[in-house]
Short mmCIF file of all heavy atoms in Angstrom, two decimals:
data_model
loop_
_atom_site.label_atom_id
_atom_site.label_comp_id
_atom_site.label_asym_id
_atom_site.label_seq_id
_atom_site.Cartn_x
_atom_site.Cartn_y
_atom_site.Cartn_z
N GLY A 1 -10.03 -11.63 3.58
CA GLY A 1 -10.22 -10.26 3.13
C GLY A 1 -11.49 -9.61 3.61
O GLY A 1 -11.70 -8.41 3.36
N ASP A 2 -12.36 -10.36 4.29
CA ASP A 2 -13.58 -9.75 4.83
C ASP A 2 -13.23 -8.84 6.02
O ASP A 2 -12.19 -9.00 6.66
CB ASP A 2 -14.57 -10.83 5.28
CG ASP A 2 -15.17 -11.59 4.11
OD1 ASP A 2 -15.09 -11.08 2.97
OD2 ASP A 2 -15.70 -12.70 4.34
N LEU A 3 -14.15 -7.92 6.32
CA LEU A 3 -13.94 -7.00 7.43
C LEU A 3 -14.13 -7.72 8.76
O LEU A 3 -15.15 -8.38 8.98
CB LEU A 3 -14.92 -5.83 7.34
CG LEU A 3 -14.82 -4.95 6.08
CD1 LEU A 3 -15.94 -3.92 6.08
CD2 LEU A 3 -13.47 -4.27 6.01
N LYS A 4 -13.17 -7.57 9.66
CA LYS A 4 -13.28 -8.15 10.99
C LYS A 4 -13.73 -7.09 11.99
O LYS A 4 -14.71 -7.27 12.71
CB LYS A 4 -11.95 -8.76 11.42
CG LYS A 4 -12.02 -9.45 12.79
CD LYS A 4 -10.68 -10.10 13.13
CE LYS A 4 -10.77 -10.83 14.48
NZ LYS A 4 -9.46 -11.49 14.81
N VAL A 5 -13.02 -5.97 12.05
CA VAL A 5 -13.40 -4.87 12.94
C VAL A 5 -12.88 -3.56 12.34
O VAL A 5 -11.81 -3.52 11.74
CB VAL A 5 -12.85 -5.09 14.37
CG1 VAL A 5 -11.33 -5.12 14.37
CG2 VAL A 5 -13.35 -3.98 15.30
N VAL A 6 -13.68 -2.51 12.48
CA VAL A 6 -13.31 -1.18 12.00
C VAL A 6 -13.15 -0.27 13.21
O VAL A 6 -14.10 -0.09 13.98
CB VAL A 6 -14.39 -0.62 11.05
CG1 VAL A 6 -14.00 0.78 10.58
CG2 VAL A 6 -14.60 -1.55 9.87
N ASN A 7 -11.96 0.29 13.38
CA ASN A 7 -11.66 1.17 14.50
C ASN A 7 -11.58 2.61 14.00
O ASN A 7 -10.69 2.95 13.22
CB ASN A 7 -10.35 0.76 15.17
CG ASN A 7 -10.38 -0.68 15.68
OD1 ASN A 7 -11.27 -1.05 16.43
ND2 ASN A 7 -9.43 -1.48 15.26
N SER A 8 -12.53 3.43 14.44
CA SER A 8 -12.61 4.80 13.97
C SER A 8 -12.37 5.76 15.13
O SER A 8 -12.33 5.36 16.30
CB SER A 8 -13.99 5.06 13.34
OG SER A 8 -14.08 6.38 12.83
N VAL A 9 -12.23 7.04 14.79
CA VAL A 9 -12.09 8.09 15.80
C VAL A 9 -13.00 9.25 15.40
O VAL A 9 -13.42 9.37 14.25
CB VAL A 9 -10.63 8.59 15.91
CG1 VAL A 9 -9.71 7.49 16.37
CG2 VAL A 9 -10.14 9.18 14.58
N PHE A 10 -13.31 10.10 16.37
CA PHE A 10 -14.03 11.33 16.06
C PHE A 10 -13.10 12.26 15.29
O PHE A 10 -11.92 12.39 15.62
CB PHE A 10 -14.50 12.03 17.34
CG PHE A 10 -15.59 11.30 18.07
CD1 PHE A 10 -15.34 10.69 19.28
CD2 PHE A 10 -16.87 11.25 17.55
CE1 PHE A 10 -16.35 10.03 19.97
CE2 PHE A 10 -17.89 10.59 18.22
CZ PHE A 10 -17.63 9.97 19.42
N PHE A 11 -13.64 12.92 14.26
CA PHE A 11 -12.84 13.93 13.58
C PHE A 11 -13.74 14.93 12.88
O PHE A 11 -14.95 14.73 12.76
CB PHE A 11 -11.83 13.31 12.61
CG PHE A 11 -12.39 12.31 11.63
CD1 PHE A 11 -12.54 12.62 10.29
CD2 PHE A 11 -12.75 11.03 12.05
CE1 PHE A 11 -13.04 11.69 9.39
CE2 PHE A 11 -13.24 10.09 11.15
CZ PHE A 11 -13.40 10.43 9.82
N ASN A 12 -13.16 16.05 12.46
CA ASN A 12 -13.91 17.16 11.88
C ASN A 12 -14.10 16.94 10.39
O ASN A 12 -13.32 17.41 9.56
CB ASN A 12 -13.16 18.49 12.09
CG ASN A 12 -12.92 18.82 13.54
OD1 ASN A 12 -11.86 18.54 14.10
ND2 ASN A 12 -13.90 19.44 14.17
N ILE A 13 -15.15 16.21 10.03
CA ILE A 13 -15.39 15.97 8.61
C ILE A 13 -16.77 16.41 8.17
O ILE A 13 -17.03 16.58 6.98
CB ILE A 13 -15.21 14.48 8.24
CG1 ILE A 13 -16.21 13.62 9.02
CG2 ILE A 13 -13.79 14.04 8.51
CD1 ILE A 13 -16.28 12.19 8.52
N GLY A 14 -17.70 16.56 9.09
CA GLY A 14 -19.09 16.79 8.71
C GLY A 14 -19.40 18.23 8.37
O GLY A 14 -18.66 19.16 8.68
N GLU A 15 -20.53 18.42 7.72
CA GLU A 15 -21.05 19.75 7.43
C GLU A 15 -22.57 19.68 7.49
O GLU A 15 -23.18 18.73 7.01
CB GLU A 15 -20.59 20.24 6.06
CG GLU A 15 -21.04 21.67 5.76
CD GLU A 15 -20.44 22.21 4.48
OE1 GLU A 15 -19.64 21.50 3.83
OE2 GLU A 15 -20.79 23.35 4.11
N THR A 16 -23.17 20.70 8.08
CA THR A 16 -24.61 20.73 8.27
C THR A 16 -25.14 22.08 7.82
O THR A 16 -24.58 23.12 8.16
CB THR A 16 -24.98 20.50 9.75
OG1 THR A 16 -24.38 19.28 10.20
CG2 THR A 16 -26.49 20.41 9.93
N LYS A 17 -26.24 22.06 7.05
CA LYS A 17 -26.91 23.27 6.62
C LYS A 17 -28.38 23.16 7.01
O LYS A 17 -29.08 22.26 6.53
CB LYS A 17 -26.78 23.47 5.11
CG LYS A 17 -25.35 23.66 4.62
CD LYS A 17 -25.32 23.86 3.10
CE LYS A 17 -23.89 24.06 2.60
NZ LYS A 17 -23.86 24.28 1.14
N VAL A 18 -28.82 24.06 7.87
CA VAL A 18 -30.19 24.02 8.37
C VAL A 18 -30.82 25.39 8.24
O VAL A 18 -30.18 26.41 8.49
CB VAL A 18 -30.23 23.58 9.86
CG1 VAL A 18 -31.68 23.36 10.30
CG2 VAL A 18 -29.41 22.33 10.08
N ALA A 19 -32.08 25.43 7.81
CA ALA A 19 -32.83 26.68 7.72
C ALA A 19 -34.27 26.42 8.12
O ALA A 19 -34.77 25.29 8.00
CB ALA A 19 -32.77 27.26 6.30
N GLY A 20 -34.92 27.46 8.60
CA GLY A 20 -36.31 27.27 9.01
C GLY A 20 -36.95 28.57 9.45
O GLY A 20 -36.39 29.66 9.33
N LEU A 21 -38.15 28.43 9.98
CA LEU A 21 -38.96 29.56 10.44
C LEU A 21 -39.40 29.31 11.87
O LEU A 21 -39.77 28.19 12.23
CB LEU A 21 -40.18 29.74 9.54
CG LEU A 21 -39.91 30.21 8.11
CD1 LEU A 21 -41.11 29.90 7.22
CD2 LEU A 21 -39.61 31.70 8.07
N ASP A 22 -39.36 30.35 12.67
CA ASP A 22 -39.91 30.31 14.03
C ASP A 22 -41.14 31.21 14.09
O ASP A 22 -41.10 32.36 13.61
CB ASP A 22 -38.88 30.81 15.06
CG ASP A 22 -37.77 29.80 15.28
OD1 ASP A 22 -37.95 28.62 14.95
OD2 ASP A 22 -36.71 30.21 15.80
N TYR A 23 -42.21 30.69 14.68
CA TYR A 23 -43.45 31.46 14.84
C TYR A 23 -43.77 31.56 16.33
O TYR A 23 -43.67 30.57 17.06
CB TYR A 23 -44.62 30.78 14.12
CG TYR A 23 -44.37 30.42 12.68
CD1 TYR A 23 -43.90 29.15 12.34
CD2 TYR A 23 -44.62 31.32 11.66
CE1 TYR A 23 -43.68 28.80 11.03
CE2 TYR A 23 -44.40 30.98 10.34
CZ TYR A 23 -43.92 29.72 10.02
OH TYR A 23 -43.70 29.38 8.71
N SER A 24 -44.17 32.72 16.76
CA SER A 24 -44.54 32.89 18.17
C SER A 24 -45.79 33.77 18.27
O SER A 24 -45.94 34.75 17.54
CB SER A 24 -43.39 33.52 18.97
OG SER A 24 -43.11 34.83 18.50
N ILE A 25 -46.67 33.38 19.17
CA ILE A 25 -47.88 34.15 19.46
C ILE A 25 -48.01 34.24 20.97
O ILE A 25 -47.94 33.23 21.67
CB ILE A 25 -49.14 33.52 18.86
CG1 ILE A 25 -49.01 33.39 17.33
CG2 ILE A 25 -50.38 34.33 19.21
CD1 ILE A 25 -50.19 32.67 16.69
N ASN A 26 -48.17 35.45 21.48
CA ASN A 26 -48.31 35.67 22.91
C ASN A 26 -49.48 36.62 23.15
O ASN A 26 -49.63 37.63 22.46
CB ASN A 26 -47.02 36.26 23.48
CG ASN A 26 -47.10 36.47 24.98
OD1 ASN A 26 -47.51 37.52 25.45
ND2 ASN A 26 -46.69 35.46 25.74
N TYR A 27 -50.32 36.26 24.11
CA TYR A 27 -51.47 37.11 24.43
C TYR A 27 -51.55 37.30 25.94
O TYR A 27 -51.53 36.33 26.70
CB TYR A 27 -52.77 36.50 23.91
CG TYR A 27 -53.99 37.35 24.20
CD1 TYR A 27 -54.20 38.56 23.54
CD2 TYR A 27 -54.92 36.94 25.16
CE1 TYR A 27 -55.30 39.35 23.81
CE2 TYR A 27 -56.04 37.72 25.43
CZ TYR A 27 -56.22 38.93 24.77
OH TYR A 27 -57.31 39.71 25.04
#
């Protein structure tokens, strides 16, 4: 009953939430 091998595939399950600030200075 132990795991021998796990065969997976790519699929659309993930979700990502990203936020931030960009700073720029030019002289």
Side-chain angles (χ1 to χ4, degrees):
D2 290 342
L3 299 175
K4 183 177 182 180
V5 62
V6 179
N7 301 306
S8 182
V9 297
F10 291 110
F11 51 107
N12 301 95
I13 61 169
E15 184 173 358
T16 306
K17 297 180 179 181
V18 188
L21 292 161
D22 287 342
Y23 309 93
S24 64
I25 301 176
N26 182 270
Y27 181 70

